[in-house]
Amino acid sequence: YLEKTNNHHLLLVGTPVQIVDEMEKWLQQGAADGFVFIPHLLPVGLEDFVQHIIPELQRRGIFRADYEGSTLREHLGLPVPKKCTTQQ
């Protein structure tokens, strides 16, 4: 379920499937283009997210499992710019 907190963040509570269902719904409806994860406890909250939520997101194709290349440019799918020379 969704719960609004005192600091104006929304809290998703439930099983990994329920949480990812809600995240996927937001993405599909254009209500979000990404999420900021704020763990309630460290390191447990982060470990839970990585072990349970990320695999479900990957299973649905929402979160990448591999990167496209070895550079940020390749990860973002950006073309390599032509070499620029200046003539005066």
Side-chain angles (χ1 to χ4, degrees):
Y1 70 89
L2 287 172
E3 179 182 308
K4 186 175 177 184
T5 63
N6 289 338
N7 59 8
H8 303 289
H9 294 114
L10 292 177
L11 177 66
L12 292 173
V13 179
T15 67
V17 170
Q18 292 169 325
I19 290 169
V20 174
D21 283 347
E22 191 65 30
M23 293 171 77
E24 185 174 34
K25 183 171 69 174
W26 282 45
L27 291 167
Q28 289 175 345
Q29 294 176 353
D33 61 0
F35 297 91
V36 175
F37 172 65
I38 304 171
H40 64 291
L41 295 171
L42 285 173
V44 176
L46 180 58
E47 290 168 353
D48 286 347
F49 191 82
V50 170
Q51 292 175 2
H52 302 289
I53 304 301
I54 297 294
E56 183 63 23
L57 290 167
Q58 289 173 330
R59 188 183 69 73
R60 298 181 192 202
I62 297 170
F63 191 90
R64 71 174 71 199
D66 294 309
Y67 286 95
E68 301 299 319
S70 60
T71 66
L72 178 60
R73 179 181 304 282
E74 291 169 336
H75 296 325
L76 298 176
L78 300 173
V80 175
K82 294 180 180 179
K83 195 167 191 173
C84 179
T85 60
T86 58
Q87 296 180 2
Q88 296 181 2

